[in-house]
């Protein structure tokens, strides 16, 4: 086995590979760009080499630099992850020439599967079923049109060199063919530098089912069953699961053997995925056709790990080191059901536009990471890290495993509900909506699921106005109590008459201004009025947030304030409300789990405590200066100061952790 490998990637997959390497006592070398100087993957490896600028072409795609780094650090092998250089035959060859083991298939197999048209010609010879279509080398426009007419509309024009859902055009009728062909070729030449296309019959309401295969250097092959990746947006995967609902043992075996035949035909070694498009017939039967082979580890590989109990990165390392496959086909069994959700920085309500920004709050459900478990979270970021415009928008992968699909689904919904991200738009709520659709919950899967369920997927607001306001008011009162140790109505903006104090809050919810009135009755009870709604407001701090009761609703919520926006998370969903006088409260603690963070960029003026001090809730800990004002940071709860993380005079970024407080 290798004693040291270089990981030629970043983000979650670099961390993923590092985790298995560490478990196998293999040392790891990270490579990183300027933007990733402090990235999690750098910390996850034993050593790290800077390879250039932030843009991929200046760093993660510079294979000469990466090979130099491997040689300089004494690495024996290179793991390419997915994306970047993972399917680059020149890189695989250059590794071999430099005496490094490329942890992946031989360059010849990458080449054979690299172009969709050529690979289909090969698959045809190997007897693997193909979608009816044209995948020849003649690219004459009139001839392609003729082929499309022969296949019958609708057809799909695909860039042969395409990937990542790019370079595809569906054509419904003959008149539209020429324009679609021209635009597909334009995109193909721009994105892939190659404008060759192929034409396929557009399968109606298809499913995407792929088979995980593995080969070793001794010529053995196995398949590790299927993954259903039908839930897609813009031809890209959103949720992946295994086993595929409705899969029969006969069809699984047929597909598995077809995938192994595909791998064998190109003398494949290592982890690979054979993607099939599956036609669902009216009588319930299914027809599968080869689409493409991805010659690398797939994003969704943890789904297969969950149902087989196998670590696929370990398999990759063993096979690359020349060992035989760890298990034979008859030793592989499916256990239960697994689902993966890709958590991305994007705005589903705005056509899934990718978002960038800082993970001001990033809290995950309890679970394992990079290891099989009922709830697993794989990521390459930490709280405070940025999702930059240079790399893809995936923040994390949430993988759940249960004995049945229902159990996995319930577990996924709960896990998503416990994912708290503040600072940028994500698809977390959207994913929860997908789970609740009739189509997904009843496993009526196909690639048109998202458009079909549009009405219940987009622009959903599960936590309404009343609860959002109540949560924002409650969090303000709690922060005030923590900061001042006083009752909220000793404040300047509250007033008292006949033993009833009233206080006004100005909010904005979904762009609408609204005023909330809070009354403090002489018995200490609170009454909140929000527009037409009025009633008692009852809340108290519980483990996991604030137990909130208002207007006939009860929910445990968690809140975070960033600038003027209060983020409210509850079991039903998440929402945001703007507190217009938030500046008046700036400097209050943003405290969760013993972290005390700067509410805004500024300078640390002083600390009034030192490490080891015992503090009481509300006790001042530090003074910050920002926006020409001083703000006192107070203890949110009784505790002990564990560590001061800055010194007086230091400039700190918004969200920077100022000191650590431990309980008791
Ligand atoms: P998978 O096929 O493993 O489910 P994706 O298709 O989303 O996953 O691709 C995995 C990674 O590879 C992503 O980071 C994606 O951006 C990248 N990727 C896929 N195909 C290409 C390509 N042709 N060119 C550049 N990057 C690609
Ligand atoms: P990429 O390299 O971008 O992953 P694929 O060939 O794997 O391209 O196709 C991506 C997705 O496009 C599939 O998962 C499926 O949703 C859709 N698709 C591909 N081929 C067809 C087809 N012939 N009919 C209908 N949908 C298709
Ligand atoms: Mg594909």
């Amino acid at each position: 086995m290798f004693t040291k490998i270089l990981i030629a990637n970043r983000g979650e997959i670099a961390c993923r590979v590092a985790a298995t390497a560490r478990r196998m006592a293999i040392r790891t070398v990270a490579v990183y760009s300027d933007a990733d100087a402090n990235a999690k993957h750098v910390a996850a490896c034993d050593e790290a080499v800077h390879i250039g600028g932030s843009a991929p072409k200046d760093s993660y795609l510079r294979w000469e630099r990466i090979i130099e780094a491997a040689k300089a650090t004494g690495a024996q092998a290179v793991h390419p992850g997915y994306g970047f250089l993972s399917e680059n035959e020149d890189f695989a060859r250059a590794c071999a020439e430099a005496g490094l083991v490329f942890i992946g298939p031989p360059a010849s197999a990458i080449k054979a599967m690299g172009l969709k048209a050529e690979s289909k010609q090969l698959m045809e010879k190997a007897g693997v079923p193909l979608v009816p279509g044209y995948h020849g080398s003649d690219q004459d426009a009139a001839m392609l049109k003729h082929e499309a007419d022969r296949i019958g509309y609708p057809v799909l024009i695909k860039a042969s060199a395409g990937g990542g859902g790019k370079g595809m055009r569906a054509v419904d009728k003959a008149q539209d063919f020429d324009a679609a062909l021209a635009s597909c070729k334009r995109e193909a030449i721009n994105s892939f530098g190659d404008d060759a296309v192929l034409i396929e019959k557009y399968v109606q309401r298809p499913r995407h089912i792929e088979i995980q295969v593995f080969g070793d250097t001794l010529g053995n092959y196995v398949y590790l069953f299927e993954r259903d990746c039908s839930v897609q947006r813009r031809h890209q995967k959103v949720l992946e699961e295994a086993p595929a609902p409705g899969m029969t043992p006969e069809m699984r075996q047929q597909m598995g053997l077809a995938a192994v035949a595909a791998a064998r035909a190109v003398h494949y070694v290592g982890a690979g995925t054979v993607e099939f498009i599956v036609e669902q017939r009216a009588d319930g039967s299914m027809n599968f056709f080869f689409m493409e082979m991805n010659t690398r580890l797939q994003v969704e590989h943890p789904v297969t790990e969950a149902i087989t109990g196998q670590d696929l990165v370990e398999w990759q390392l063993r096979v690359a080191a020349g060992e035989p496959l760890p298990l034979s086909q008859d030793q592989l069994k499916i256990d239960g059901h697994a689902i993966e959700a890709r958590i991305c920085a994007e705005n589903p309500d705005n056509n899934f536009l990718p978002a960038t920004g800082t993970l001001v709050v990033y809290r995950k459900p309890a679970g394992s990471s990079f290891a099989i478990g009922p709830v697993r979270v794989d990521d390459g970021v930490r709280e405070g890290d940025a999702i930059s415009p240079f790399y893809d928008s995936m923040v994390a992968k949430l993988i759940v495993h249960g004995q049945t699909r229902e159990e996995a689904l319930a577990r996924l919904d709960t896990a998503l509900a416990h994912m708290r991200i503040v600072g940028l738009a994500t698809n977390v709520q959207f994913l929860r909506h997908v789970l609740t659709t009739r189509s997904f919950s009843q496993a009526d899967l196909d690639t048109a699921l998202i458009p079909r369920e549009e009405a219940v997927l987009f622009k959903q607001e599960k936590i309404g106005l009343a609860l959002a306001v109540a949560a924002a008011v409650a969090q303000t009162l709690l922060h005030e109590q923590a900061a001042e140790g006083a009752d909220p109505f000793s404040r300047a903006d509250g007033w008292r008459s006949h033993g009833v104090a009233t206080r006004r809050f100005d909010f904005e919810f979904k762009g609408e201004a609204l005023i909330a009135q809070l009354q403090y009755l002489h018995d200490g009870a609170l009454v909140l009025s929000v527009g037409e709604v009025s009633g008692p407001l009852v809340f108290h701090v519980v483990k996991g947030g604030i137990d909130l009761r208002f207007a006939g609703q009860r929910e445990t919520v968690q809140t975070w304030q960033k600038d003027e926006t209060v983020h409210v998370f509850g079991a039903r969903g998440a929402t945001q409300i703007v507190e217009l006088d938030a500046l008046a409260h700036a400097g209050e603690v943003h405290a969760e789990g013993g972290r005390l963070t700067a509410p805004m960029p500024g300078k640390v003026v002083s600390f009034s405590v030192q490490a080891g001090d015992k503090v009481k809730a509300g006790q001042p800990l530090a003074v910050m200066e920002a926006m020409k004002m001083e703000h006192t940071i107070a203890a949110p709860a009784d505790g002990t100061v564990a560590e001061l993380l800055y010194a007086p005079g230091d400039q700190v970024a918004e969200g920077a952790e100022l000191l650590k407080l431990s309980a008791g």
Side-chain angles (χ1 to χ4, degrees):
M1 185 45 67
F2 312 113
T3 55
K4 194 191 248 191
I5 62 170
L6 179 140
I7 303 171
N9 214 301
R10 64 177 303 282
E12 81 78 25
I13 192 60
C15 297
R16 162 74 191 88
V17 173
T20 290
R22 174 151 299 177
R23 188 172 57 69
M24 295 173 70
I26 299 169
R27 295 182 61 78
T28 49
V29 182
V31 291
Y32 65 95
S33 67
D34 289 344
D36 281 340
N38 297 310
K40 183 174 174 183
H41 81 271
V42 172
C45 292
D46 297 308
E47 49 191 302
V49 180
H50 176 247
I51 51 167
S54 300
K57 67 168 178 30
D58 298 327
S59 48
Y60 299 107
L61 293 174
R62 284 179 72 181
W63 46 268
E64 311 81 355
R65 286 296 299 272
I66 292 173
I67 288 175
E68 266 169 40
K71 304 213 57 134
T73 53
Q76 298 127 359
V78 176
H79 195 302
Y82 54 69
F84 298 124
L85 295 169
S86 60
E87 295 179 273
N88 185 315
E89 52 169 303
D90 296 331
F91 179 61
R93 201 170 293 115
C95 284
E97 282 163 7
L100 297 162
V101 175
F102 177 76
I103 303 171
S108 56
I110 298 177
K111 180 172 158 58
M113 290 297 186
L115 294 174
K116 294 187 204 285
E118 273 81 346
S119 68
K120 291 181 86 170
Q121 292 163 20
L122 269 173
M123 292 304 106
E124 197 162 35
K125 286 202 201 97
V128 180
L130 301 182
V131 192
Y134 171 79
H135 45 260
S137 52
D138 188 344
Q139 293 286 308
D140 175 67
M143 195 276 318
L144 290 172
K145 168 82 176 16
H146 179 76
E147 287 294 326
D149 293 344
R150 179 185 60 80
I151 296 160
Y153 296 90
V155 298
L156 194 60
I157 309 175
K158 272 189 196 176
S160 185
K166 275 211 213 115
M168 272 191 269
R169 293 289 181 283
V171 188
D172 287 334
K173 48 187 193 301
Q175 299 91 289
D176 300 342
F177 185 84
D178 293 332
L181 176 66
S183 109
C184 186
K185 281 188 173 274
R186 263 196 313 276
E187 183 172 311
I189 197 91
N190 285 334
S191 303
F192 313 110
D194 175 350
D195 71 354
V197 299
L198 59 102
I199 300 172
E200 284 179 1
K201 174 149 197 61
Y202 193 93
V203 180
Q204 301 289 335
R205 295 194 58 172
R207 283 167 71 175
H208 171 123
I209 301 180
E210 59 188 32
I211 303 282
Q212 176 71 55
V213 293
F214 245 98
D216 63 19
T217 50
L218 311 168
N220 302 309
Y221 292 92
V222 293
Y223 58 91
L224 289 93
F225 318 112
E226 76 279 5
R227 292 181 291 255
D228 190 315
C229 313
S230 299
V231 183
Q232 301 183 346
R233 48 122 170 95
R234 297 208 238 114
H235 301 301
Q236 290 187 39
K237 299 160 187 167
V238 175
L239 289 162
E240 300 104 343
E241 62 181 296
M247 176 69 86
T248 61
E250 297 72 33
M251 178 157 160
R252 175 174 295 124
Q253 190 186 31
Q254 281 172 24
M255 290 183 76
L257 294 176
V260 163
R264 200 185 293 277
V266 297
H267 306 289
Y268 200 83
V269 176
T273 296
V274 182
E275 296 188 333
F276 294 97
I277 190 112
V278 175
E279 186 175 37
Q280 314 191 76
R281 299 249 209 62
D283 65 2
S285 67
M286 299 199 269
N287 252 345
F288 65 91
F289 307 108
F290 173 86
M291 225 172 0
E292 65 165 346
M293 180 168 187
N294 292 326
T295 53
R296 55 173 162 87
L297 193 66
Q298 206 94 344
V299 173
E300 56 274 22
H301 75 275
V303 164
T304 301
E305 297 186 321
I307 60 153
T308 59
Q310 300 301 308
D311 178 336
L312 298 195
V313 173
E314 177 176 343
W315 280 47
Q316 286 189 299
L317 293 167
R318 294 200 178 285
V319 162
E323 294 181 24
L325 289 174
L327 295 177
S328 63
Q329 192 65 56
D330 55 11
Q331 290 172 310
L332 285 161
K333 297 276 178 299
I334 297 180
D335 167 35
H337 197 97
I339 312 179
E340 173 182 276
R342 297 192 191 192
I343 295 171
C344 297
E346 64 186 18
N347 185 350
D349 289 340
N350 187 9
N351 202 21
F352 299 98
L353 189 74
T356 57
T358 301
L359 294 164
V360 177
V361 173
Y362 177 61
R363 304 290 157 82
K364 304 178 267 189
S368 59
S369 59
F370 309 121
I372 296 160
V375 176
R376 165 175 175 180
V377 189
D378 283 11
D379 60 13
V381 289
R382 298 154 302 197
E383 193 164 81
D385 285 350
I387 301 296
S388 76
F390 301 111
Y391 313 112
D392 73 32
S393 60
M394 197 168 77
V395 177
K397 307 189 300 200
L398 200 50
I399 306 102
V400 294
H401 184 226
Q403 277 319 301
T404 60
R405 186 174 194 266
E406 290 64 38
E407 190 178 299
L409 220 146
R411 207 159 261 165
L412 182 55
D413 190 52
T414 307
L416 284 166
H418 284 93
M419 196 86 208
R420 271 100 171 82
I421 300 177
V422 173
L424 36 75
T426 73
N427 63 343
V428 172
Q429 298 307 314
F430 172 79
L431 289 166
R432 295 192 67 195
H433 302 332
V434 174
L435 302 190
T436 63
T437 59
R438 189 206 57 83
S439 302
F440 193 80
S441 60
Q442 297 184 12
D444 178 10
L445 304 177
D446 64 79
T447 61
L449 187 145
I450 287 176
R452 181 167 66 248
E453 297 280 5
E454 192 174 33
V456 291
L457 290 179
F458 299 99
K459 306 230 156 82
Q460 298 297 306
E461 175 58 62
K462 300 287 176 185
I463 289 191
L465 168 69
L467 208 71
V469 169
V473 168
Q475 81 120 30
T476 298
L477 299 183
L478 286 168
H479 277 177
E480 286 170 4
Q481 277 168 20
E484 297 168 11
D487 85 272
F489 292 88
S490 62
R491 290 179 52 96
D493 54 356
W495 70 92
R496 233 170 240 278
S497 64
H498 310 296
V500 177
T502 307
R503 185 167 163 196
R504 172 186 160 143
F505 291 84
D506 286 279
F507 290 113
E508 217 176 78
F509 187 67
K510 307 233 155 240
E512 301 265 321
L514 72 119
I515 295 165
Q517 299 271 6
L518 183 69
Q519 286 190 317
Y520 191 43
L521 307 182
H522 53 267
D523 64 355
L526 299 171
V527 173
L528 182 66
S529 310
V530 188
E532 310 284 276
V533 186
S534 185
L537 171 66
V538 180
F539 62 88
H540 56 277
V541 177
V542 292
K543 194 168 160 287
I546 306 169
D547 175 11
L548 191 66
R549 267 175 275 184
F550 179 60
Q553 301 185 69
R554 180 174 188 172
E555 183 139 351
T556 299
V557 297
Q558 264 185 317
T559 60
W560 275 276
Q561 185 155 354
K562 174 168 186 316
D563 304 327
E564 295 194 308
T565 305
V566 181
H567 295 252
V568 182
F569 295 89
R572 274 179 291 170
T575 195
Q576 291 157 33
I577 183 164
V578 177
E579 190 173 352
L580 290 174
D581 59 348
L583 259 193
H585 313 297
E588 282 161 9
V589 288
H590 289 226
E592 276 296 326
R595 283 171 55 99
L596 280 166
T597 57
M600 51 175 60
K603 194 169 85 176
V604 177
V605 176
S606 63
F607 282 104
S608 43
V609 291
Q610 39 187 312
D613 285 0
K614 284 216 177 299
V615 297
K616 288 248 165 279
Q619 181 179 335
L621 303 176
V623 177
M624 266 192 73
E625 185 190 281
M627 299 174 115
K628 299 186 183 129
M629 293 194 301
E630 289 201 344
H631 307 284
T632 300
I633 313 291
D638 294 0
T640 304
V641 178
E643 194 182 356
L644 302 184
L645 299 168
Y646 286 92
D650 284 352
Q651 286 291 333
V652 296
E654 176 178 345
E657 192 174 2
L658 299 174
L659 59 131
K660 282 196 196 312
L661 207 57
S662 57

